[in-house]
Amino acid sequence: MRICVLGFFFLAIVSLACADDSAQAQNSVSRISLEKNWHIQSACKVSDGGAAISRPGYSVAGWLATTVPHTVLGAQVDAKLFPDPFFGMNLRAIPGTTYPIGKIFTELPMPDDSPYKCSWWYRTEFNLSPELRGKNVWLHFDGINYRANIWVNGRQIANSGQVAGAYRTYEFNVKDTVHPGALNAIAVEVFTQTETDLGINFVDWNPMPADKAMGLWRPVYITSSGPVSVRYPAVSTHFTDDSLKTAELTVTGELQNGTAEQVTGTVEATLEGIGTVSQPVTLAPNEHQSVVFAPEQYPQLRVQNPKLWWPYPLGPQNLYTVEMRFVVRSSRSSAEADFRATPEGSPNTVIPSANSGQALSAAFARRISRDLLGSIAPGVAPLRQTSVYGLKSRTSGIYDLNIPGDPSAKSGPQDDSAKEFEVDKLRLASDEAAATVPPSDSISDVATTKFGIREITDQKNANGYELFRINGRNILIRGGGWAPDMFLRVNNERVQDELRHVRNLGLNTIRLEGKLETDEFFDLADRYGILVMAGWCCCDHWEHWDKWTAADHEISKASQASQIQRLRSHPSLLVWLNGSDNPPPEDVESDYISILKQYRWPNPFLSSASATPTTVTGPSGVKMSGPYDYVPPSYWLLDPGHWGGAYGFNTETSPGPAPPLLSSLQKFIPKQNLWPHDDVWNFHAGLGSFGQTKIFEDAMAATYGPPTSLADYEKKSQAMAYDGERAMFEAYARNKYNSTGVVQWMLNNAWPSVIWHLYDYYLVPGGGYFGVKKANELIHAQYSYDDRSVVVVNSLYEPQKGLKVRVKVLDLTSKERFSDTKTVDIEPDSVAKVLTIPEINDLSSPYFVRLDLTDSAGKSLSSNLYWLPTQLAELDWEKTNYYFTPAKYADMTALATLAVTNIEWNSQIERRGEDEIVRVTLRNVGKNLAFLLRADLKHAHNSDDVAPVLWDDNYISLLPGESRTLSATVRVRDLGGLAPIIAVEGWNAKAENAAKVPR
C-alpha cells in the first residue's frame, strides 16, 4: 500500500501530496498564453468596427501576422517590412520618422502623415476548454501602450477611457463573454501615446521609434478561477537582530471576488520548508481585499537559522516557493468550530462525525492529520470518533477508512498501541453516487511565487548620503543603467546573456528608469543575485506635473499600484524611485507613498534619483550631478565636493562615450561613414548634448595624440574607456562608505550606439568593460590619483589576513624606478591604505605603476597596471555643467613611441557541460612592457566575434618575460559546432597570426 494513502484519509486533501488529480491541480491557475496567432492592421485600412472584427471567423487577409508581445513597429521590423533600421540612417526611412534628429520625439506630436497616427487593430482567435464552463475566466493584459478599446466575441469589454497607461496591468472577467468549448476572438484597437501621456520614453539615450512604442508590449493571457481569484503573493523578511538567526516573515496577497455575491472561505499560504498558515475571509460582492499573515499572529512565521538570499557574489541566492490558495467555505458544523478553538496537538481533539453531514476545509483536515498522528502514539488518549466522510475528487472516490484502536471503526486491528493504520476499503463510486456527498469546500484559486529570505534597509550616513544595507550589512552599490530593445522586443535568452555579463563585470545592481522589465527579467535577477533599482522615467509628461489632468493623476496611481504589486515579491528589488531627474510634488508623492504602504512594499523608496529634497520625505540622500561625457580619470577623486565625484550615491553618471570595436562598428555604420566620423556616426550617439563624441575626441587628441586612422582611433578609444571606467568605480570603492553607490550610465544600449555602454549592442565587450571588471575585483589593489596612495579594497564580509602588496613604478622604457612590498591585514568590507608612492624625479610622461596583490598562500588576487602622466589634467571646476567639466588634459602622447614587443601565445579548449572553456596563455618574450593586450574569439566560418563570451580578464599588460593565462567561457551552441579562432593584438604588441583553438 502506498504511503501516500495517509493523505487520502484526511480529505481528498490528501491527494495534495501524491495524486495527479489533486484538488490543487484542479484549481490551480492554469495560464493560457495568447502569444501566437495575432494579426495587426492599421484602422485607417479597416472599415469594420470592433463588434465585427472580434467575431470568430473574421477575415484577416492582408493583415500582418505577428506574436504578442510586439509593438506595431516591432512587428513590422521583425517581418522585415523595412531595411535594417539599425544600419546607417535607415531608421529615418521608416514612415513617420520625420521629427528633428536629436529631439526627444516623446515630447512632440505625432506627424499628421505618420501611419501611426491612426489607431491599429490587434486580433487573435483561440479555443477554450469546455472545463472552463461555470468558472470565472480572466483576460490579462500586462502592458498596453497607450489607450485601447477591447472587444471579445463581438462585445466590447473596455474602452479607451478605461484602458489608458503604458505601465498599468489589466484583468477583465470575461466569463459571460467567452465560449468554453468553442472558438473565441479578441480584437484590441490601440492608440499610440501623445506628448501629454504617461507613456514610454527613451529620453536622450537613442532615437524614439516612429510608432512611439504603440501596441501590446507585454503578454496577453487567460487564467480561470472559482468565485475568488488569488494574486501577487509575497513574503517579506525582518531579522530580529544582526545575528540573522531569526527571520520574521510576513506573507501578503490579493484576493478578488469575481461574483455579485458574498463569498466566505479560508485563505491559506504554504511556505516551502516552513509550513502553512490560514485565516478566514469574507468578501463582499466584487470586493478586492489584501490579506496579511504576520509573525505576531502566526508564530510559525518566525524561522530559525534560515537559508538567506544574498546579492552575488556575497552569498548564495536561496529561493523558496510560497503558494497561496483560497478555499471556498461550505456550511460549517459546530464541531469544526470547536476543533478550530482547540489548541493544535491536543490529545482531546474532537473530530466531526461522518454522519454530521458537514464538510471539512483543507486547512481543517490538515489539522486533523497532525493531531491524529499524535494521538496514535502510545500514551495518548484515542480519538472518540475518527470516521471522516470522503469528499468528491476528480476520481469521484468515497473512502471508508479504519483506524486502529477505535471501537467505532467498522473493522481492523483493535490494538490501542498500534503505530500504523491501513486502508480497509476503497470504494470507487460513480459520479451520481459521489454527488450525494455533502457540499464540500473547494479551492477557488491558487497563486505561487518565489521569494528569498532577505531584508533590505536604508539609512543616511553621517554626511546625509543614502546607504543601503542587505541582511544587516552595508553594501556599496555598483550598478549600470538598463536599456531594453528600441522596439521593446522580448528576448529572454538575450536578457540572460546580459545578466551573465552583469555578474562577470562585478556589478551588483541594475537601474531601470521606466521601461519596467518583464517578469522573466526579475526572475532571472532573483536567480542571479542582481539587485534592481526601479522607478519612473524623466524628461516627458511623467515629470510635467503642473500639466497633469485629473485623469493623469488616476493613471499614475494605477500604474504605481500595478507595478508595486507585481514587483514586491522579488528579492532582487533594492529600491523604488517615485521620480527620476526631479521629485514629484507633494500631492503626487503622497499618493505614491500611500500605494507603497497599501501594498506593503518591503524595501526602501526614494523621492527621486536627484538630490532635490521634498516636503514629504526630505532629502533623498542621492545625487545625479553628472558627468555624462568624458572626464579624465583623476576627476572622481579630485572633485572638491560639488559634482559627480566619489562621495555620496550617484544614481547615474559616466566617463563618456564608448565606441565599439571595429568589428561591431562595421555592422551598423556604412564603410564610407566609418572614417572620418560624420553625421551617420553622430546619429548613433545620443540626443541633445550627447549627439556627438567631440568632447571625447578632443580629449583623445590632447592626451594620446590625434588618431591617424580608424584602427588608431579604436586603440586609443578602448584605452580611454578602460582607464575612465576603472577610475570611476575604484574611486567610489576607495571612499566607501562616504561614497555609497555609483550607477554607470549606461550598462547597455537599445540599439547599436557609440556612447554609454559597457558591452555593445552585439554583446561584445570593449575596454570599458574590462576596466569595470578590474575595479570590481572582490579583493583589489588600486592607485589613488589624489594622493598617490596604494590601497586594498575588501568587498567581502570576511577579514583578509596576510595579504601581500607589491608595487613597481616603471618608466616608458620599462626601467624600474621604484618598488616596495607590504603585508596587510584588512577588516571585512573595508579599505586599507598600504603605502604612498613617493615623488620620483625625472620620470617619463607617461609612466607605469604596477600593483600585484596575493593572499597569504601566494595566490594572485589582483594585478593592476596604470599609465600616468607626470602632470594630471587641470580641471576647470568653475565651468562645470551637468554633463562634463572642461579641462586642460594631461599629455601622454609619448605612448605612441612605446617600443614594440613580441608576444607568443597558445590556447586550449575544454568542454564543461553546456560551455566551452577557452584558455589563452600570453607570454611577453620582448624587452619592453606589452601594453593593453587583447584576446578575441572569432567564429571559424566567418571571422565574426563570438558573443557572448565571459572573459576572466582582458586588456592586460605584461612585463618583459611575464606570462598570463586568460580564460573565456562560451556556450557550446554559440560556437556553431566549430572550434573558435583566437586573435591577439595590443597597443605595441607584435603577435602571431590568428589561429584556430586546438581541441
Side-chain angles (χ1 to χ4, degrees):
M1 178 100 14
R2 294 174 62 203
I3 190 65
C4 67
V5 76
L6 279 169
F8 289 138
F9 173 72
F10 301 122
L11 219 251
I13 147 184
V14 177
S15 50
L16 290 171
C18 40
D20 290 337
D21 56 348
S22 67
Q24 175 178 327
Q26 292 179 65
N27 294 281
S28 64
V29 175
S30 56
R31 175 164 163 160
I32 303 169
S33 172
L34 299 182
E35 175 188 8
K36 299 179 180 179
N37 195 35
W38 288 87
H39 293 79
I40 64 173
Q41 181 60 279
S42 169
C44 291
K45 297 181 179 180
V46 179
S47 58
D48 295 321
I53 297 172
S54 65
R55 292 191 183 279
Y58 181 84
S59 174
V60 290
W63 290 42
L64 177 65
T66 189
T67 57
V68 166
H70 253 117
T71 65
V72 170
L73 187 48
Q76 293 175 317
V77 168
D78 278 354
K80 302 188 184 304
L81 298 188
F82 309 113
D84 179 6
F86 289 170
F87 187 76
M89 301 286 288
N90 285 351
L91 185 71
R92 298 291 298 180
I94 294 176
T97 315
T98 56
Y99 60 90
I101 292 175
K103 297 296 184 181
I104 298 177
F105 186 33
T106 310
E107 297 201 286
L108 302 175
M110 185 71 76
D112 289 337
D113 61 350
S114 171
Y116 311 107
K117 190 160 187 176
C118 300
S119 59
W120 279 69
W121 284 102
Y122 281 69
R123 186 187 185 281
T124 189
E125 293 185 351
F126 57 96
N127 285 291
L128 284 181
S129 168
E131 293 183 1
L132 295 185
R133 292 192 182 102
K135 292 187 175 183
N136 284 321
V137 179
W138 304 93
L139 175 59
H140 300 255
F141 294 87
D142 280 358
I144 301 175
N145 193 32
Y146 183 78
R147 293 179 175 82
N149 295 314
I150 303 175
W151 300 72
V152 177
N153 292 336
R155 294 176 57 184
Q156 186 168 10
I157 64 169
N159 62 47
S160 59
Q162 299 163 317
V163 179
Y167 293 102
R168 294 174 64 184
T169 59
Y170 302 93
E171 183 175 353
F172 303 100
N173 192 343
V174 292
K175 172 184 178 181
D176 298 329
T177 311
V178 295
H179 307 309
L183 187 65
N184 297 265
I186 297 173
V188 184
E189 184 185 15
V190 180
F191 302 82
T192 192
Q193 66 189 50
T194 73
E195 64 275 21
T196 58
D197 282 330
L198 301 176
I200 295 170
N201 178 15
F202 281 97
V203 199
D204 47 16
W205 315 349
N206 51 260
M208 186 73 180
D211 68 341
K212 293 191 175 183
M214 74 181 300
L216 305 183
W217 73 293
R218 286 290 181 255
V220 180
Y221 53 97
I222 283 175
T223 61
S224 62
S225 74
V228 175
S229 63
V230 181
R231 299 288 183 263
Y232 304 119
V235 179
S236 60
T237 303
H238 172 65
F239 293 106
T240 57
D241 55 48
D242 286 344
S243 73
L244 308 179
K245 292 183 178 179
T246 303
E248 295 183 333
L249 307 183
T250 299
V251 185
T252 58
E254 308 301 320
L255 306 178
Q256 177 64 52
N257 183 357
T259 73
E261 299 178 355
Q262 177 177 291
V263 178
T264 297
T266 302
V267 60
E268 305 172 349
T270 298
L271 289 76
E272 178 185 354
I274 296 170
T276 299
V277 291
S278 65
Q279 61 178 278
V281 174
T282 296
L283 293 103
N286 298 306
E287 181 187 6
H288 170 271
Q289 191 175 132
S290 299
V291 292
V292 179
F293 297 91
E296 293 79 10
Q297 287 76 44
Y298 299 89
Q300 57 268 53
L301 296 179
R302 288 191 172 95
V303 182
Q304 302 301 314
N305 302 310
K307 294 182 179 179
L308 307 185
W309 186 96
W310 291 93
Y312 178 85
L314 301 177
Q317 292 75 55
N318 293 302
L319 293 172
Y320 300 79
T321 299
V322 58
E323 178 186 276
M324 184 172 287
R325 67 192 73 84
F326 187 85
V327 182
V328 180
R329 185 186 302 173
S330 64
S331 59
R332 295 286 180 243
S333 67
S334 60
E336 178 168 347
D338 292 343
F339 177 84
R340 291 181 182 276
T342 305
E344 193 165 336
S346 168
N348 298 314
T349 298
V350 176
I351 308 297
S353 161
N355 59 13
S356 65
Q358 304 299 324
L360 308 179
S361 70
F364 182 30
R366 273 189 286 276
R367 276 283 310 274
I368 297 175
S369 73
R370 288 193 292 271
D371 290 337
L372 176 61
L373 291 173
S375 301
I376 292 173
V380 178
L383 301 174
R384 291 193 290 116
Q385 177 66 40
T386 54
S387 210
V388 180
Y389 208 0
L391 301 180
K392 181 178 180 181
S393 73
R394 232 165 85 183
T395 57
S396 302
I398 297 179
Y399 310 100
D400 297 323
L401 303 110
N402 301 314
I403 308 305
D406 183 358
S408 69
K410 297 180 181 178
S411 60
Q414 301 297 312
D415 182 0
D416 285 346
S417 67
K419 298 182 181 179
E420 299 180 351
F421 66 90
E422 61 181 351
V423 173
D424 177 57
K425 180 168 57 176
L426 172 61
R427 185 179 77 251
L428 294 178
S430 66
D431 283 342
E432 290 76 17
T436 65
V437 176
S440 67
D441 292 356
S442 62
I443 297 176
S444 177
D445 200 12
V446 176
T448 64
T449 194
K450 295 287 186 181
F451 71 95
I453 297 179
R454 64 87 173 122
E455 183 178 23
I456 293 176
T457 57
D458 68 334
Q459 63 188 52
K460 301 295 188 288
N461 70 10
N463 291 318
Y465 304 141
E466 179 76 357
L467 172 64
F468 290 101
R469 309 192 82 208
I470 175 76
N471 299 335
R473 311 300 195 259
N474 293 341
I475 182 168
L476 177 68
I477 298 303
R478 298 172 166 104
W482 178 266
D485 174 75
M486 179 190 284
F487 302 111
L488 303 181
R489 293 168 295 185
V490 175
N491 184 333
N492 291 328
E493 183 177 307
R494 180 184 173 92
V495 170
Q496 185 169 1
D497 290 338
E498 297 200 54
L499 296 195
R500 291 170 71 219
H501 268 317
V502 171
R503 282 177 53 142
N504 194 49
L505 280 159
L507 300 177
N508 56 29
T509 302
I510 289 172
R511 182 181 165 204
L512 305 179
E513 184 185 4
K515 278 79 68 188
L516 298 168
E517 271 292 346
T518 64
D519 292 342
E520 291 78 9
F521 173 95
F522 292 104
D523 289 342
L524 282 170
D526 295 342
R527 284 172 43 201
Y528 280 35
I530 298 168
L531 297 168
V532 180
M533 301 173 64
W536 299 125
C537 196
C538 82
C539 310
D540 66 356
H541 201 58
W542 276 104
E543 292 194 351
H544 297 167
W545 295 287
D546 60 331
K547 299 177 181 177
W548 278 18
T549 64
D552 291 328
H553 282 272
E554 294 307 312
I555 291 169
S556 72
K557 289 187 286 186
S559 301
Q560 179 100 339
S562 291
Q563 297 304 320
I564 293 306
Q565 287 180 88
R566 85 177 179 99
L567 297 181
R568 67 184 180 184
S569 65
H570 291 279
S572 56
L573 264 293
L574 172 70
V575 63
W576 177 263
L577 280 68
N578 286 320
S580 180
D581 292 22
N582 299 283
E586 183 175 349
D587 58 337
V588 176
E589 185 179 10
S590 297
D591 285 342
Y592 284 163
I593 293 172
S594 295
I595 292 165
L596 289 163
K597 291 180 178 179
Q598 176 184 350
Y599 293 111
R600 304 181 72 91
W601 177 251
N603 309 309
F605 58 87
L606 298 174
S607 59
S608 74
S610 74
T612 307
T614 77
T615 57
V616 178
T617 52
S620 66
V622 300
K623 64 180 182 180
M624 51 169 295
S625 47
Y628 297 90
D629 214 321
Y630 181 79
V631 291
S634 57
Y635 170 96
W636 308 99
L637 289 175
L638 294 178
D639 177 2
H642 303 301
W643 308 107
Y647 63 92
F649 191 118
N650 203 337
T651 58
E652 52 180 73
T653 190
S654 171
L661 299 177
L662 178 57
S663 56
S664 290
L665 288 171
Q666 293 169 334
K667 295 178 181 178
F668 66 94
I669 296 182
K671 184 177 180 179
Q672 66 272 19
N673 302 112
L674 279 170
W675 189 258
H677 300 154
D678 59 16
D679 288 343
V680 177
W681 174 279
N682 291 335
F683 185 59
H684 286 267
L687 307 185
S689 299
F690 310 109
Q692 46 71 39
T693 53
K694 184 178 185 304
I695 294 172
F696 179 81
E697 288 158 5
D698 287 348
M700 177 189 293
T703 306
Y704 294 92
T708 58
S709 64
L710 184 58
D712 191 41
Y713 181 89
E714 178 189 59
K715 178 173 69 174
K716 291 173 178 175
S717 65
Q718 300 310 311
M720 291 173 69
Y722 185 107
D723 208 17
E725 294 287 0
R726 176 180 61 177
M728 182 179 75
F729 279 95
E730 284 186 338
Y732 274 83
R734 194 202 71 173
N735 287 353
K736 67 177 181 182
Y737 281 99
N738 184 49
S739 58
T740 57
V742 61
V743 178
Q744 152 67 20
W745 212 249
M746 303 178 69
L747 171 70
N748 61 345
N749 294 132
W751 80 322
S753 177
V754 298
I755 70 167
W756 293 347
H757 62 252
L758 296 180
Y759 50 86
D760 67 30
Y761 184 80
Y762 308 101
L763 307 184
V764 176
Y769 181 106
F770 293 102
V772 172
K773 182 173 174 59
K774 179 61 62 178
N776 289 339
E777 290 172 333
L778 292 176
I779 308 171
H780 178 66
Q782 64 185 59
Y783 173 81
S784 303
Y785 287 89
D786 57 342
D787 61 7
R788 303 192 312 280
S789 64
V790 174
V791 303
V792 174
V793 178
N794 180 12
S795 296
L796 297 174
Y797 294 140
E798 298 86 31
Q800 306 297 320
K801 304 293 185 181
L803 303 182
K804 187 169 289 186
V805 183
R806 295 178 176 85
V807 182
K808 289 184 179 182
V809 177
L810 308 173
D811 66 17
L812 204 56
T813 66
S814 300
K815 181 180 178 180
E816 185 176 298
R817 300 294 304 275
F818 171 82
S819 67
D820 200 356
T821 301
K822 298 290 185 182
T823 300
V824 61
D825 297 337
I826 185 169
E827 295 302 311
D829 192 24
S830 65
V831 179
K833 183 176 179 178
V834 178
L835 60 83
T836 299
I837 297 175
E839 291 190 20
I840 303 170
N841 294 327
D842 301 323
L843 262 180
S844 62
S845 184
Y847 62 96
F848 302 103
V849 171
R850 169 70 177 264
L851 308 179
D852 289 286
L853 178 67
T854 56
D855 66 13
S856 57
K859 178 184 177 182
S860 177
L861 300 175
S862 176
S863 181
N864 207 353
L865 183 126
Y866 298 82
W867 52 105
L868 302 168
T870 52
Q871 180 65 45
L872 295 176
E874 297 177 16
L875 291 145
D876 192 347
W877 298 108
E878 296 299 320
K879 294 182 179 179
T880 298
N881 59 33
Y882 79 96
Y883 59 91
F884 94 117
T885 297
K888 179 182 178 182
Y889 298 109
D891 182 0
M892 294 194 289
T893 56
L895 274 171
T897 68
L898 197 61
V900 173
T901 190
N902 293 318
I903 299 298
E904 293 180 351
W905 61 271
N906 61 72
S907 62
Q908 58 183 355
I909 190 167
E910 171 193 348
R911 177 73 177 264
R912 188 179 297 170
E914 298 301 313
D915 294 329
E916 297 274 18
I917 311 299
V918 180
R919 294 184 178 87
V920 183
T921 300
L922 307 174
R923 181 176 178 82
N924 182 0
V925 296
K927 297 180 180 180
N928 300 290
L929 175 79
F931 184 51
L932 291 183
L933 297 173
R934 181 179 102 224
D936 293 326
L937 292 188
K938 303 286 186 177
H939 283 290
H941 62 282
N942 63 4
S943 298
D944 193 10
D945 292 307
V946 176
V949 177
L950 302 179
W951 289 95
D952 66 346
D953 203 356
N954 220 325
Y955 288 79
I956 66 169
S957 297
L958 296 179
L959 301 178
E962 184 181 16
S963 65
R964 286 271 308 277
T965 298
L966 307 180
S967 294
T969 301
V970 57
R971 284 187 300 243
V972 173
R973 69 171 185 264
D974 291 335
L975 291 177
L978 299 174
I981 291 173
I982 301 291
V984 176
E985 56 185 276
W987 183 282
N988 64 323
K990 183 178 181 181
E992 300 172 9
N993 293 330
K996 185 177 291 188
V997 181
R999 288 190 178 273

